[in-house]
Structure formats: structure tokens, C-alpha cells
Amino acid sequence: MRYRDLGKTGLKVSEIGLGAEWLERHNAEEVKAVIDCCEEQGINILDCWMAEPNVRSNIGKAIAGKREKWIIQGHFGSTWQDGQYVRTREMDKVRVAFEDLLTRLGTDYIDLGMIHFVDEEAEFHQIMEGEFLAYVKEQKEKGVIRHIGMSTHNPKVGKLAAMSGEIEMLLFSINPAFDLLPASEDMNTYFAEDYDENLGGIHPDRADLYQTCERLGVGINVMKGYAGGRLFSAASSPFGVALTPVQCIHYALTRPAVASILAGYDTPEHVMDAVAYETASEEEKDYANVLAKAPRHAYSGQCTYCGHCAPCPAGIDIAMVNKLYDLAAMQEQVPASIKAHYEALPANAKDCIACGGCEERCPFGVRVAEKMEKAQDLFG
Ligand code: SF4
Ligand code: SF4
């Protein structure tokens, strides 16, 4: 298992994580089998957003005596009322549900205290300026949570959170289908049967979020990496072509700022399917050819940092130069940290001999030589 820095939190998370939502439909024994398998495979991060009491208790039993092996992402605002999940900002209910989470998980701290599911900008401001954030900060001051995070599906809210200085990491929905879409306050639009036919490639709202997070050191953990399984079949995928789990994982893990993809598992076999990513070949991981040739919404002209264009005779890491260029180009001035990273590369845009080999190999038709010229102008 490979591990990555989660932004500036100081935590090193396994790049494959456990999104525990599906465990809600299993008994204690089955939950333990999945969690034990995750642990054996080196998975060290789990998200428990669910408020349902049994699943919380079953997870608590499965990690009993091994709490310190896990980085737990627990949520503020996910509550259980009259036998149902309710997302709320009513503080009396938020407090009770969070204390219940600690009790049922059998722990006195949560590593990542997540402000749960904020997709509306107005609600984001209410939370950040009111008693909700005050309570979350109090938990951090007391050491009950170690870091403050937020979960959202809206890239505009994600960007506000990243820029707030209060939110250290995000749980954000990333997959190639959602990445086509502009920001929305209604998550259901992401699951629409048909997308606007003009869409193709990563929407600027989302590219902006990923670049902002990377620049500010706000790590992203990924949810909905498979678009609810929709991407696994040509019939249900908006691209009209199927992707594999390994390709979806690779797509998510090659976005800037991403640390871990939290997948859902019903069984140890499902865990092993995701962990197969760790030993997959480059061909198996290659989402680029699929997306570039998709019958609908094909990505084109835009660098997805897939690395398909290698090797470069000048030794340039083209995907990295493109990523740093995109990060810097959105700023009024090139940030010193990005410039330093660029200058530390063994070869960079000034070494490009415009041979064109990369452009022949790039499935997205990116005009790389032109981009290298732009990078040279920008970075000097
Ligand atoms: S230039 Fe093309 S092949 Fe190279 S990383 Fe970007 S999208 Fe991939
Ligand atoms: S065009 Fe430039 S970046 Fe592309 S392979 Fe040739 S030397 Fe490398």
C-alpha cells in the first residue's frame, strides 16, 4: 500500500481507504471481516458519516484494541432521529450524535472532524459564522478532534472552505463523470440520465478547486469515485463506454491535492478488488484512452495529468510541468513554492526540443509543445 500526505495535516493516509457506508447493511461479523481485511492490506483511513447506531457499534467492535491503527473521519451534523438519518444544523442534536459516535466507536478522539455535507453557499456561510463552527473548533481545542474537515459535492463550496483558513481537508466527490459538470447545489443533477451534450473534459469550477487545494495544502479525500457504479457499464455511463474500478481509482488519485480514495466494500473480496490498484499495470490503470475515445462527452484538448505522453527525449515530466503551469497560471503572480518545485525538476519546459512525440501519444490532443512555450514564458 502506498501512503500520501493529507494536505498539511501531518497525517499519512493510505491511497486506498474505506468509505464505511455499505457496512450499514451488514452484521457485526461481516463488518469485522471487511475491516480486518482492510487492515491486513494496509488501509489506515476510514470514513464513518453514517448516523445509524448499529453500524457505528459494529465498526467500534471491529477496531476495538486497534484504534491507533486507524485515521477516523467522523462527521458533525449527521444524526439519527426516529429511526432515520437526518442531516441537521440544530446544535442540541449535532452534539448528541457526535458524542454517540465517540461512544459507539469506543474512542475518545476523532482524527478528522468533518462538517457534514455542505452543498449550499448560503449554508456554508451560516456554518462558518455561527455556533456550528464554534462547536467544532471547541472540540479541536479540547483534543477531541485533531483536524477540521468538510464534506461537499459542490466545487464552489469546496473552494470557499479551502480558502477559509479553518478547513484543513475536504471529502469531495470525484470521478470523470462528475468532473464534466459545473458547480451545483443539488447533488441529484450529477446523477441525471443525460448531461448537456456540449460538456467534455474537466469543468473549470472543478479544475479550480483541485488547483486551489493543491496550492493551499488542503488535502482531498475522495468519495463517489465510481459515480455510484454508474461508470462500470456503457449503458449507464454518460461517456457511453465503461471504465473499470482500477481506472476510476487512478483517475481520482491523479487529481491535484488528492490523498486517498475512500471506496465502499461489502465483502473482503471487494476490498481486494480495490487494493488490486496497488499492483495494476499502467495499461490497466489507463483511463485516458477510454475517455479520449468515448462516444459521448470525450475529453479533449485538456491535460488530465495522465502521463500517457511519456517518455520525453528531453527527460521532461510533461504531466508535472503541465500541472505546475496550470497551478501557477491561475495566480496573478507565480507563487514561490510552485516556482521552486518547477525549478527543482531535473528537466523542464526550457529543455523541450518540440519533437512532437508527446503530442502523438497524448490521447487528449493536448498541444504540448505550445504548452511548454507558455510554461517557459511563465516560469522564465
Ligand atoms: S499531455 Fe496528454 S498524455 Fe500528457 S499528461 Fe497531459 S493529457 Fe496526459
Ligand atoms: S515536444 Fe517537448 S515535451 Fe514533448 S516529447 Fe518532445 S521534447 Fe518532450
Side-chain angles (χ1 to χ4, degrees), residues 68 92 304 325:
E68 73 291 348
D92 52 338
T304 66
Y325 172 81

Side-chain angles (χ1 to χ4, degrees), residues 31-309:
V31 168
K32 184 161 166 34
V34 168
I35 289 187
D36 284 352
C37 180
C38 287
E39 211 184 290
E40 280 158 23
Q41 296 304 317
I43 291 174
N44 72 349
I45 175 158
L46 76 84
D47 178 89
C48 179
W49 72 263
M50 305 80 69
E52 197 274 325
N54 288 324
V55 70
R56 289 180 166 193
S57 297
N58 288 341
I59 293 170
K61 283 179 206 152
I63 63 170
K66 299 182 282 187
R67 164 69 184 91
E68 73 291 348
K69 291 192 171 174
W70 287 96
I71 293 167
I72 297 179
Q73 222 174 245
H75 293 231
F76 293 101
S78 168
T79 69
W80 193 249
Q81 298 177 38
D82 300 326
Q84 287 188 67
Y85 155 71
V86 179
R87 175 173 47 129
T88 186
R89 310 306 177 199
E90 290 175 44
M91 293 314 297
D92 52 338
K93 300 194 169 72
V94 170
R95 283 191 191 92
V96 170
F98 185 65
E99 282 157 21
D100 174 79
L101 179 70
L102 292 167
T103 308
R104 290 184 183 276
L105 292 185
T107 183
D108 56 5
Y109 73 96
I110 294 291
D111 304 86
L112 301 163
M114 309 299 292
I115 300 173
H116 181 61
F117 195 157
V118 188
D119 277 7
E120 294 175 12
E121 289 189 43
E123 190 182 34
F124 171 82
H125 291 296
Q126 279 161 13
I127 283 172
M128 298 303 282
E129 288 151 27
E131 56 185 353
F132 200 107
L133 182 65
Y135 171 67
V136 172
K137 285 173 82 169
E138 187 190 315
Q139 300 313 303
K140 187 176 173 192
E141 277 153 26
K142 291 199 286 195
V144 180
I145 63 168
R146 302 282 157 87
H147 302 279
I148 301 177
M150 181 175 280
S151 66
T152 178
H153 308 86
N154 181 340
K156 288 196 171 157
V157 169
K159 186 175 175 187
L160 288 171
M163 295 180 73
S164 70
E166 302 280 9
I167 306 298
E168 297 166 81
M169 52 79 59
L170 295 176
L171 176 61
F172 187 68
S173 44
I174 300 182
N175 61 62
F178 289 10
D179 262 1
L180 295 166
L181 299 169
S184 168
E185 296 194 340
D186 177 5
M187 195 180 70
N188 292 327
T189 57
Y190 305 151
F191 291 100
E193 269 199 18
D194 293 308
Y195 288 177
D196 177 341
E197 63 182 28
N198 297 316
L199 293 170
I202 302 172
H203 193 279
D205 287 344
R206 293 169 190 276
D208 189 17
L209 170 67
Y210 307 149
Q211 286 156 12
T212 301
C213 287
E214 170 104 357
R215 182 167 54 83
L216 298 176
V218 174
I220 301 177
N221 286 338
V222 174
M223 59 176 160
K224 301 188 173 62
Y226 304 154
R230 185 177 178 186
L231 294 173
F232 298 158
S233 124
S236 57
S237 165
F239 298 103
V241 67
L243 286 160
T244 64
V246 163
Q247 287 165 339
C248 292
I249 292 171
H250 196 49
Y251 180 85
L253 289 177
T254 44
R255 296 312 92 209
V258 166
S260 181
I261 174 165
L262 310 180
Y265 315 116
D266 276 310
T267 61
E269 289 70 36
H270 285 169
V271 177
M272 298 310 290
D273 288 346
V275 171
Y277 173 78
E278 295 297 297
T279 48
S281 66
E282 289 308 312
E283 288 72 32
E284 287 167 327
K285 291 192 228 174
D286 183 15
Y287 57 80
N289 267 324
V290 182
L291 293 183
K293 293 179 193 148
R296 296 195 297 273
H297 304 296
Y299 279 31
S300 85
Q302 195 180 16
C303 184
T304 66
Y305 320 126
C306 67
H308 218 75
C309 44

